[in-house]
């Protein structure tokens, strides 16, 4: 997960740096570049489709006595045959001041509107989940309420229930249960997956421990190149209790399967297709748990009549959503 995040942030940082390059260079040049006087020899306007380009050439001399010749940027066609003040920076001489070089600042537009788009996307994605979480917390009767974050499971009153430990070896008695039928991942393996080393054949085991350190279960995350991941609920001895199989990623849908391949139920989107919130049902279609995803945490309501295994499956479902390495 950390590697996937590092690759994503690296790509994001590279994109931001690329968008900032020309605004930074032009600002530095016009504000702190060496002053010079340019003699503009000619300005030629060329057309490429609907795009017009003006190229001015000439010579220049800086206040320090250095000279140069070539293209001079930021000028107007009327500057041909005249002497104009310019600033010489890393990319050459620029005249016209900030007004004559405004086009270089257009790359700032995506950066200026990106925060607004991000806020809107978060509201669309997690707004329904937050409303669902509030409604679950407001009506606790008839069910057990849990709050699950990427590494913890707490009761709604704040009392700790379990902690998800770091990746480690499989339990001593582990015997992998392979159930055929894993769905192909839509779009295959993306370049980001390849760069981060995810969506490949591997298994990761993470213990679920009580506040006192007693092992309660083990969560196994299985990924395979080109296929949707499986998430397996193991007891501390390594025996499989249930398998959570993702059928599709957008929106997320899961099949719940017993260790012998018997269907245990399913998990389908609720409270908005993109919210990440899920309604968990048993094999008969009866709701056994509801997961409200708010982004920072998940509120889980497990029905009192639901067998204990569905509570643990709901917890695995939340960890599966947070396990972004898959």
């Amino acid at each position: 997960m950390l590697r996937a995040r590092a690759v994503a942030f690296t790509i994001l940082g590279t994109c931001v740096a690329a968008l900032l390059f020309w605004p930074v260079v032009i600002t530095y040049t016009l504000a702190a570049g060496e002053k010079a006087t340019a003699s503009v020899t000619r300005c030629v306007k060329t057309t490429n489709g609907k795009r017009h380009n003006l190229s001015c050439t000439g010579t220049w001399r800086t206040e320090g006595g250095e000279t140069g010749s070539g293209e001079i940027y930021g000028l107007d066609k009327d500057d041909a045959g005249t002497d104009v003040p310019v600033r010489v920076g890393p990319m050459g001489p620029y005249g016209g001041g900030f007004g004559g070089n405004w086009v270089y600042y257009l790359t700032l537009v995506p950066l200026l509107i990106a925060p607004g788009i991000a806020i809107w996307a978060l509201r669309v994605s997690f707004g329904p989940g937050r409303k669902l979480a509030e409604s679950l917390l407001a009506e606790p009767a008839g069910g057990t309420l849990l709050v699950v974050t990427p590494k913890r499971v707490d009761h709604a009153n704040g009392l700790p229930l379990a902690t998800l430990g770091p990746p480690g070896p499989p339990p001593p008695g582990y015997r992998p249960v392979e159930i055929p039928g894993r769905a192909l991942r839509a779009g295959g393996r993306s370049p980001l997956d390849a760069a981060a080393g995810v969506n490949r054949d591997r298994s990761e085991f993470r213990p679920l421990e009580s506040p006192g350190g007693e092992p309660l279960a083990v969560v196994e995350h299985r990924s395979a190149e080109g296929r949707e991941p499986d998430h397996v609920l193991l007891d501390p001895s390594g025996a499989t209790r249930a398998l959570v199989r993702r059928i599709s990623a957008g929106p997320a849908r899961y099949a719940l399967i017993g260790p012998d391949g018997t269907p245990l139920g399913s998990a389908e989107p609720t409270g908005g297709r993109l919210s990440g919130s899920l309604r968990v049902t048993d094999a008969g279609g009866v709701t056994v748990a509801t997961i409200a995803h708010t982004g920072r945490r998940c509120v889980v309501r497990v029905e009192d009549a639901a067998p204990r295994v569905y509570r643990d499956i709901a917890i695995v479902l939340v960890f599966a959503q947070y396990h972004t390495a898959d």
Side-chain angles (χ1 to χ4, degrees):
M1 181 166 63
L2 291 177
R3 187 174 180 182
R5 287 179 178 175
V7 171
F9 280 122
T10 299
I11 294 174
L12 177 62
T14 301
C15 293
V16 171
L19 293 173
L20 286 175
F21 177 79
W22 278 111
V24 170
V25 168
I26 296 302
T27 299
Y28 169 79
T29 298
L30 298 179
E34 189 171 6
K35 294 180 180 180
T37 299
S39 297
V40 185
T41 304
R42 64 173 184 167
C43 290
V44 178
K45 188 175 184 179
T46 58
T47 302
N48 183 9
K50 294 183 178 181
R51 183 178 178 182
H52 303 286
N53 182 55
L54 181 67
S55 175
C56 295
T57 56
T59 61
W60 60 88
R61 177 184 292 274
T62 68
E63 291 183 343
E66 296 183 3
T67 60
S69 62
E71 189 164 0
I72 306 169
Y73 307 96
L75 301 182
D76 187 82
K77 62 181 181 179
D78 294 333
D79 291 320
T82 65
D83 292 341
V84 296
V86 297
R87 292 269 193 166
V88 181
M91 306 304 292
Y94 284 78
F98 288 98
N101 294 277
W102 62 269
V103 68
Y104 292 103
Y105 291 89
L106 291 178
T107 57
L108 291 177
V109 173
L111 296 179
L112 293 175
I113 66 175
I117 294 176
I119 292 172
W120 172 83
L122 288 173
R123 287 179 177 175
V124 170
S125 298
F126 296 117
R130 291 192 180 98
K131 291 181 179 179
L132 180 59
E134 290 172 358
S135 67
L136 293 177
L137 293 171
E139 300 177 4
T144 300
L145 287 177
L146 303 174
V147 176
V148 186
T149 58
K151 294 182 180 181
R152 290 180 57 87
V153 182
D154 297 314
H155 293 283
N157 60 9
L159 292 176
L161 175 65
T163 301
L164 189 66
Y174 172 72
R175 295 291 184 273
V177 173
E178 298 293 343
I179 298 175
R182 294 176 72 171
L184 292 173
R185 176 172 253 178
R189 195 176 191 215
S190 69
L192 177 59
D193 291 335
V198 301
N199 190 18
R200 56 190 172 89
D201 295 331
R202 69 186 184 96
S203 288
E204 178 184 283
F205 300 87
R206 304 190 70 174
L208 194 63
E209 301 174 337
S210 70
E214 177 186 356
L216 301 176
V218 176
V219 181
E220 178 189 1
H221 301 285
R222 297 178 184 172
S223 64
E225 185 173 344
R227 293 191 178 273
E228 294 291 351
D230 279 348
H231 308 274
V232 188
L233 173 65
L234 307 169
D235 67 23
S237 70
T240 299
R241 294 178 59 203
L243 183 144
V244 173
R245 169 163 290 171
R246 194 169 76 186
I247 299 172
S248 65
R253 290 185 170 88
Y254 299 86
L256 314 180
I257 307 170
D260 58 354
T262 303
L264 296 179
S266 64
E268 301 282 339
T270 186
R273 294 177 70 252
L274 301 179
S275 69
S277 301
L278 300 170
R279 183 172 75 96
V280 185
T281 58
D282 62 15
V286 177
T287 299
V288 290
T290 303
I291 299 171
H293 203 309
T294 69
R296 299 185 303 271
R297 63 176 188 166
C298 285
V299 175
V300 180
R301 174 190 167 105
V302 183
E303 301 301 322
D304 284 339
R308 170 71 173 272
V309 68
Y310 288 104
R311 185 203 72 172
D312 298 339
I313 286 175
I315 293 172
V316 172
L317 277 164
V318 175
F319 288 144
Q321 290 181 306
Y322 282 125
H323 196 268
T324 56
D326 283 337

